[in-house]
Amino acid sequence: MPEIRNYTLNFGPQHPAAHGVLRLILEMDGEVVDRADPHIGLLHRGTEKLVESKPYNQSIGYMDRLDYVSMMCNEHGYVMAIERLMGIEAPLRAQYIRVMFDEVTRILNHLMWIGAHGLDVGAMSMFLYAFREREDLMDCYEAVSGARLHATYYRPGGVARDLPDTMPQYEASRFRSKSQAAKQNEARQGSLLDFLEDFCNRFPGCVDEYETLLTDNRIWKQRLVGIGVVTPERAMQLGFSGPMLRGSGIEWDLRKKQPYEVYDQVKFDIPVGKEGDCYDRYLVRMEEMRQSNTIIKQCIEWLRVHSGPVLTEDHKVAPPRRAEMKGDMESLIHHFKLFTEGFCLPEGEAYAAVEHPKGEFGCYLVSDGANKPYRLKVRAPGFYHIASLNEMVQGHMLSDVVAVIGTQDIVFGEVDR
Amino acid sequence: MNEQKTQDFAEQLGALAIEGVTDIVVDCGEITATVDPASLIAVATQLRDELSFEQLMDVCGVDYLQYGKDEWQTDSAAAGGFSRGVSGSSVGRLSFGDEVDPLADGEPRFAAVYHLLSIKHNRRLRLKVYATDNEFPVVPTVTDIWACADWPEREAFDLYGIHFEGHPDLRRLLTDYGFVGHPFRKDFPLVGHVEMRYDPQKRRVIYEAVSIEPRVLVPRVIRKTTRKNTTSAVVADDSSADTAKGDA
């Protein structure tokens, strides 16, 4: 009999199942993982340090690039920290727009997750379906901000501009016939809200489709049920938040428990898991997509009948309208000061947390009264989830490591910052 | 969280008079308790077991070396007019080897900030621990109280050089293998010290002294804003408690 020894396996950083640039040092006993040592930081860009040398508004774009699949939720955490420190509030319409886009972002994120998670575990077709729907939502991003991913749409005191009345259209080309373009443009004839409403009516059917593919799929269940079980007590100890915490059976959602913006005005439920395994977390996220869909619908209804400003009228924080600036000395000064120097925050510190698709995304902002943050700490949910990887995979097979990484919904932009 | 609930809890916390808690401040609807590093473990254990702060949300290092320093004088004009804010020692302007003014004697430079969350009571609390030694900052680890403190403490060690005494595995986390220095310190230049490239002659990646010029477009300006958010102190006396939030 040959002697069997433990050996060390290097996984990543260039591995499709590593979700970016995760390097894992795995100590294996045969095919069973003894210890996993994640090495992170390969995508560390020093966002928190860069932010310290720029005025507040110039850093909103950095927030998009933290968790690059849930862009607007990151911005939300950052602008909320600024707003809390300044004591300003966004107009009601802006709050509804923010909630709507937070939920659009949640669906975007969960679609990315289900696609990647499916791909990791061997369900190739999930990826294609998920990206079909993502396309529509990214068009909403584009319509409202001009960018499909890194929107930079939220501002301290509201959002950059109001919802557009038209949607971008497809054009016929060598690759897209006229009739095909016309078909794709069918839903895009009205405003953004019309397009999004059409999406919301379609989307529950799409989630049903995903569920037919996965929920009772024998292979899917074999790969997920009973894998990476975390007890509720342990989940709290490990600093879990979001679907990871709810998957372990703790009913905790900042949107309900510490409501911000207008989350206390909309109706939705919090799905909670029972077993705390990968399959439960899958079910929780699937239900979250349905719930987000209903929130978006409620926001659309409200936004259709209520108009109003979307950015605060306080010109010490938000610039005046361009037309005003051209004719009014006061506005010109405000405009000049805002774009050359920015605004100063009162001295103090604030921690603003939002229910990000991955968990609690918090921004801890220390200000010494300057026009730049003295210190910004981003509390990224994924950071704490990946930290627990060792504990979650111990005793599991190598192939389950991939399932656990998938269920943690890791994105390296926010883990490394 | 509800403002009144926060205030009540701050008072309750003050009434408990936990040993080692030197100051409790309520600002922006958030409670900050300053804790003595020597009694951090005892305070944290008590907070977790008796006040059910089950979750530690975040550990974060802060370097107070340049706190309150600006590059542009805004309150008085000299004979030559206002300063132009082009010279200064903010971190973005530093380059390799530049000196930064030290802190006044006795002022603590490094702090570790802990954000706690109680799921049971739906409350948050911030603990602030100033390290006593500025040259070799040491704070006890809380990994035995909250397991998730492991990585954020490693991060704070990596970026700020704060040593967490008793930490089971205090290695660098985010920076490169073999990195020298603690990059988030306020005397560490934004452009860094070294850059790397592939050398075709040596056929490997090499490190060289950084060639980027430090450049800051907007100077750091501190203005006394008239805006004042709701601040009140529980232990220390502060008269600004009645100043209501502007347009809340």
Side-chain angles (χ1 to χ4, degrees), chain A residues 23 35 37-42 44 46-50 52-55 58 83-89 234-241 245 250-252 254 256-259 312 314 316-317 337 339-342 344-353 360 364 366-380 383-384 386-388 391 415-417, chain B residues 1 27-30 32 48 54-69 71-72 74 90-93 113 115 117-120 122-124 126 128 143-152 154-155 159-160 169 171 173-177 182-190 216-225 227-229 245-248:
Chain A
R23 182 176 173 214
R35 203 171 78 91
D37 179 16
H39 286 200
I40 63 164
L42 287 109
H44 177 61
T47 305
E48 292 158 355
K49 178 120 177 159
L50 285 168
E52 287 170 12
S53 66
K54 288 183 173 56
Q58 291 183 18
E83 284 170 3
R84 179 163 302 171
L85 212 47
M86 283 190 129
I88 57 170
E89 216 171 58
R234 207 56 205 154
M236 288 197 282
Q237 263 285 310
L238 291 171
F240 280 12
S241 50
L245 191 62
I250 296 174
E251 197 196 328
W252 178 261
L254 291 179
K256 278 259 193 250
K257 304 287 176 180
Q258 301 178 357
T312 177
D314 182 350
K316 299 274 183 254
V317 184
K337 276 318 249 185
F339 284 94
T340 52
E341 186 180 295
C344 292
L345 253 59
E347 190 178 348
E349 48 192 28
Y351 178 83
E360 175 177 325
Y364 172 53
V366 180
S367 161
D368 59 352
N371 57 344
K372 303 170 182 184
Y374 185 76
R375 166 81 165 122
L376 173 76
K377 174 70 168 54
V378 173
R379 191 260 179 214
F383 183 79
Y384 292 83
I386 189 88
S388 70
E391 195 172 317
V415 172
D416 291 348
R417 281 160 284 147
Chain B
M1 223 187 333
D27 187 10
C28 302
E30 294 167 25
T32 311
R48 184 194 63 180
E54 311 96 341
Q55 266 199 304
L56 172 72
M57 294 321 278
D58 196 25
V59 182
C60 145
V62 184
D63 177 2
Y64 283 99
L65 182 63
Q66 293 192 316
Y67 192 81
K69 289 195 182 141
E71 298 168 330
W72 200 334
T74 52
S90 78
V91 71
R93 295 187 197 276
V113 182
H115 287 96
L117 171 70
S118 164
I119 284 184
K120 190 175 161 201
N122 192 5
R123 278 174 190 152
R124 283 179 194 277
R126 174 159 54 232
K128 212 165 187 185
T143 39
D144 295 333
I145 301 161
W146 295 285
C148 66
D150 181 0
W151 272 32
R154 276 177 68 186
E155 183 191 308
L159 303 178
Y160 285 96
D169 182 24
R171 283 179 291 152
L173 185 67
L174 289 174
T175 48
D176 199 0
Y177 303 111
H182 300 290
F184 276 30
R185 287 191 172 185
K186 289 285 181 177
D187 50 5
F188 192 97
L190 183 66
V216 173
L217 298 178
V218 181
R220 193 179 165 79
V221 182
I222 295 184
R223 280 179 201 283
K224 291 194 182 69
T225 51
R227 200 185 304 279
K228 188 75 188 145
N229 46 44
K245 230 183 201 179
D247 38 355

Side-chain angles (χ1 to χ4, degrees), chain A residues 331-358:
Chain A
S331 301
L332 182 68
I333 296 170
H334 275 135
H335 185 274
F336 179 74
K337 276 318 249 185
L338 264 176
F339 284 94
T340 52
E341 186 180 295
F343 48 82
C344 292
L345 253 59
E347 190 178 348
E349 48 192 28
Y351 178 83
V354 294
E355 185 70 25
H356 186 271
K358 292 180 170 62

Side-chain angles (χ1 to χ4, degrees), chain A residues 56-71:
Chain A
Y56 285 98
N57 267 359
Q58 291 183 18
S59 304
I60 300 172
Y62 281 128
M63 298 300 128
D64 288 309
R65 287 148 182 87
L66 287 174
D67 179 355
Y68 44 76
V69 292
S70 30
M71 295 68 69

Side-chain angles (χ1 to χ4, degrees), chain A residues 208-220:
Chain A
D208 290 342
E209 265 178 33
Y210 312 150
E211 293 226 46
T212 8
L213 273 170
L214 296 176
T215 306
D216 290 321
N217 184 323
R218 186 163 49 90
I219 304 170
W220 183 253

